[in-house]
Amino acid sequence: MPLLALFAGLRLNEVCQLDVADIQTVEGVDCISISAGPATANNDKRLKTASSERLVPIHSALREMGFITCVEARRAAGGRKLFAELQASSTGYFSDPFSKWFRRFLAKAGAARPRTCFHSFRHCYRDALRETRIDHEIALALGGWASGSGKDDSETAAAYGRGYRVEALKAAIEEVAYPGLDLGRLAAEPAI
C-alpha cells in the first residue's frame, strides 16, 4: 500500500478500497482506475473530490516489485477487493483501520515524527513530480488534484477536451524517481 502511494500518488482510502477490476489495461497500458464506481447498493467506494477520479498508469517500479502478478493472482482467485483482508470501519472507510495500524507501525519502527503519516508518501510523490519538471497540468491529473478554486480564462480552457492520452501520463509517471531509495530487495522473483 505505501508503494502505491509513493509511485502512483494514491490517497490512503483510494488504495484501501481498490477493486481488482480497477486495475485495467487502457490503450495497451496497465493502469489504476480511481473512481467512485457505479451507483449501486453494494458499491463501497468514495472519492475525496470530483477531481480525484482519474486514470494512473502503473509505474514500472511497481511492476518490477510484482504488483501486476499480485493483481492477477487475486483476479484468478475470483476476489473482488485487491486488499481483501481490509474491512470497512463503522464509518464505511476501508482506510480507518489501516491508518491506525500504520501509526502504530511507525511508532514501533522508530519512524514516528510530527506530521509524518501515511499521507507523507503522497507528499513525496508530489515532490517527485515537481522534480521531473513535467507539465503542471499532467501532474495535477496524475495526483487527482484540482487546478484551482477560482474560474478564470485558463481554468475554463483547461476544462475543455478529454484530458491527456494514457501514453502521455505513462511517460510522465515513469519520470518519478526517488534517488537513494533502494527497493531492489522487493523485486519480484523471476518465474521458473
Side-chain angles (χ1 to χ4, degrees):
M1 287 189 236
L3 295 170
L4 286 171
L6 198 59
F7 285 99
L10 274 57
R11 295 173 178 93
L12 178 57
N13 199 55
E14 292 171 345
V15 174
C16 292
Q17 70 185 7
L18 280 174
D19 289 339
V20 172
D22 293 330
I23 312 307
Q24 306 168 356
T25 302
V26 178
E27 298 172 16
V29 177
D30 290 328
C31 297
I32 302 168
S33 174
I34 304 298
S35 71
T40 61
N42 67 346
N43 182 21
D44 52 15
K45 296 173 123 188
R46 300 176 182 190
L47 292 180
K48 183 176 180 184
T49 65
S51 61
S52 298
E53 190 164 327
R54 63 198 186 279
L55 199 61
V56 183
I58 295 171
H59 195 287
S60 60
L62 292 171
R63 180 181 296 283
E64 290 165 11
M65 289 182 267
F67 179 66
I68 296 298
T69 303
C70 174
V71 171
E72 289 169 353
R74 292 283 184 170
R75 189 171 282 137
R80 178 177 160 246
K81 288 290 183 192
L82 188 57
F83 300 105
E85 60 277 9
L86 297 177
Q87 299 298 313
S89 69
S90 60
T91 63
Y93 287 96
F94 287 89
S95 57
D96 288 348
F98 184 84
S99 179
K100 291 174 186 171
W101 175 88
F102 193 75
R103 279 194 300 275
R104 290 189 305 270
F105 171 77
L106 285 177
K108 190 174 182 178
R113 305 281 185 278
R115 299 178 52 136
T116 298
C117 61
F118 189 90
H119 199 68
S120 300
F121 292 114
R122 191 162 154 82
H123 284 273
C124 291
Y125 176 75
R126 183 63 182 109
D127 287 343
L129 286 170
R130 280 187 191 100
E131 290 197 16
T132 67
R133 302 204 184 277
I134 62 167
D135 181 86
H136 178 69
E137 290 297 319
I138 289 179
L140 295 179
L142 286 169
W145 291 288
S147 61
S149 58
K151 284 282 185 187
D152 65 14
D153 289 341
S154 63
E155 288 181 40
T156 301
Y160 283 85
R162 295 185 321 176
Y164 294 94
R165 290 183 341 270
V166 176
E167 299 85 16
L169 296 174
K170 176 71 172 166
I173 207 162
E174 285 300 329
E175 294 297 318
V176 170
Y178 300 97
L181 179 61
D182 181 8
L183 298 173
R185 64 184 175 85
L186 299 178
E189 294 293 321
I192 297 177

